[in-house]
Amino acid sequence: AGDSSADGAEEGLDNTMSIKLTHIGLLSDRELAYDNARRVLEAARRAGMFVRLDMEDSRHVDATLDIHERLLADGLSNTGVVVQ
């Protein structure tokens, strides 16, 4: 039986990742992107990871900030937004 810690910090591994909301459904449906982002953040939280939401470009600012605020309101504090 190994160590149950999944955060990678003890091994000196980077425990952050970034996602583009357009890659997980934003161009099709804002709710789909939100649902998928929530699933990613929940899994990342269990693994001790922080997830950055990439802003991508100006067309997606409002949607990205809206989804980020909703995720924070859901208690998923392991997220931030990359502003370019």
Side-chain angles (χ1 to χ4, degrees):
D3 182 7
S4 63
S5 173
D7 66 272
E10 293 175 14
E11 293 83 16
L13 301 175
D14 184 5
N15 62 350
T16 65
M17 64 182 280
S18 65
I19 59 173
K20 296 181 184 311
L21 295 177
T22 59
H23 290 183
I24 60 171
L26 184 60
L27 296 178
S28 299
D29 180 66
R30 189 183 288 204
E31 279 304 303
L32 175 63
Y34 164 76
D35 290 341
N36 287 334
R38 183 179 170 90
R39 291 173 59 202
V40 169
L41 264 69
E42 288 170 343
R45 180 174 56 188
R46 288 190 299 272
M49 296 181 71
F50 186 86
V51 179
R52 291 178 177 81
L53 304 179
D54 280 345
M55 185 66 70
E56 298 184 81
D57 63 53
S58 60
R59 294 175 296 162
H60 308 299
V61 170
D62 292 339
T64 301
L65 294 176
D66 174 58
I67 290 171
H68 180 253
E69 289 297 318
R70 289 176 66 190
L71 294 166
L72 291 175
D74 289 343
L76 294 164
S77 61
N78 61 321
T79 185
V81 177
V82 177
V83 179
Q84 300 186 23

